[in-house]
């Protein structure tokens, strides 16, 4: 009876606050797949987003280096803070999720090609798909970026709100984009970022789904 309360058929957890290995695995994989598709939509029309992905996009557009490789490398410096502040489980799953997204963004181009995509639709679908992907990862206590980790650290160390740190970083990324991209592209990128954050604000609540415990 106790075992049946913890797992159903040995695979699915009956406890909403816990996940089995199978549940976490499918959550990380599907979250990474949907997120990578969101990045594809943004990349297809030359847009970017906030966080470390925005930095990776900027370098990608400037030097034509693989986005998947850049996305993986840009996040590396943040793992020390993640392991130190957020624990092994969250950090390990985040590392796996970022690794999956980095690989999938390179592989999916062999299976998917959109001949025409309007920047508005790219911003809309890119923002929504990233929102869905991140929501899946959040529900399995993982993420896709190191800026949030840094923001939490600064908040704990200096008392500055994490949301303000994240906003300042994203503003800096978008401001830097004007040096690389035309202003229309930056505006569409901002729209995509707003759609992404609105989607998460509406659909993710810490009292329903706990990212880090």
């Amino acid at each position: 009876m106790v075992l049946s309360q913890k797992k159903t058929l040995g695979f699915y957890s009956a406890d909403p606050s816990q996940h089995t290995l199978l549940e976490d695995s499918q959550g990380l994989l599907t979250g990474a797949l949907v997120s990578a598709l969101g990045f594809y939509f943004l990349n297809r029309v030359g847009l970017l987003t906030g966080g470390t992905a925005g930095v990776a996009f900027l370098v990608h557009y400037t030097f034509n280096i693989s986005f998947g490789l850049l996305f993986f490398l840009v996040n590396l410096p943040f793992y020390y803070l993640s392991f130190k502040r957020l624990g092994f489980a969250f950090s390990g799953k985040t590392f796996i999720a970022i690794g999956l997204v980095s690989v999938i963004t390179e592989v999916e181009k062999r299976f998917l090609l959109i001949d025409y995509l309007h920047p508005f639709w790219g911003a809309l679908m890119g923002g929504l798909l990233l929102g869905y992907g991140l929501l899946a990862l959040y529900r399995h206590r993982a993420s896709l970026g190191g800026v949030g980790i840094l923001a939490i650290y600064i908040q704990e160390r200096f008392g500055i709100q994490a949301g303000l740190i994240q906003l300042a970083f994203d503003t800096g990324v978008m401001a830097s984009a004007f040096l690389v991209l035309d202003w229309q592209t930056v505006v569409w990128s901002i729209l995509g970022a707003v759609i992404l954050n609105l989607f998460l604000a509406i659909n993710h609540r810490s009292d329903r789904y706990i990212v880090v415990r």
Side-chain angles (χ1 to χ4, degrees):
M1 183 66 179
V2 175
L3 290 177
S4 64
Q5 290 177 343
K6 292 183 178 180
K7 293 183 180 180
T8 302
L9 300 178
F11 295 103
Y12 303 101
S13 174
D15 183 352
S17 67
Q18 301 294 327
H19 291 107
T20 64
L21 178 61
L22 176 63
E23 289 175 317
D24 276 340
S25 298
Q26 67 80 31
L28 294 180
L29 179 59
T30 54
L33 281 166
V34 176
S35 297
L37 185 59
F39 284 138
Y40 175 86
F41 271 82
L42 295 177
N43 194 14
R44 189 68 184 83
V45 286
L47 305 184
L48 67 153
T49 187
T52 51
V55 176
F57 269 128
L58 281 177
V59 179
H60 167 66
Y61 294 142
T62 304
F63 300 104
N64 197 28
I65 303 174
S66 162
F67 169 78
L69 175 62
L70 289 169
F71 183 60
F72 183 79
L73 293 177
V74 167
N75 280 288
L76 286 179
F78 298 97
Y79 284 119
Y80 171 76
L81 283 177
S82 181
F83 279 106
K84 184 177 180 180
R85 295 289 175 176
L86 302 177
F88 178 80
F90 174 83
S91 303
K93 285 187 283 189
T94 295
F95 182 84
I96 292 171
I98 291 173
L100 285 171
V101 169
S102 298
V103 172
I104 295 170
T105 52
E106 298 304 310
V107 173
E108 67 184 350
K109 294 181 289 186
R110 303 179 182 180
F111 301 94
L112 176 65
L113 177 61
I114 298 178
D115 290 330
Y116 174 75
L117 182 64
H118 191 278
F120 168 74
W121 204 248
L124 175 65
M125 295 306 298
L128 287 176
L129 286 167
L130 278 173
Y132 275 105
L134 283 169
L135 191 62
L137 294 175
Y138 287 170
R139 292 182 181 182
H140 291 270
R141 300 185 186 121
S143 74
L144 271 186
V147 179
I149 299 169
L150 178 62
I152 292 173
Y153 172 77
I154 293 176
Q155 177 175 276
E156 292 178 352
R157 184 72 180 272
F158 302 103
I160 303 174
Q161 291 184 2
L164 294 178
I165 301 299
Q166 183 82 48
L167 177 61
F169 186 91
D170 289 348
T171 301
V173 170
M174 292 300 176
S176 300
F178 282 104
L179 302 175
V180 179
L181 309 172
D182 60 82
W183 69 267
Q184 295 99 327
T185 300
V186 178
V187 171
W188 290 122
S189 299
I190 293 173
L191 174 64
V194 170
I195 291 171
L196 163 62
N197 285 287
L198 282 177
F199 176 87
L200 289 176
I202 294 170
N203 291 282
H204 178 74
R205 282 173 42 181
S206 59
D207 56 342
R208 287 178 178 164
Y209 306 104
I210 303 171
V211 181
V212 184
R213 293 186 70 184

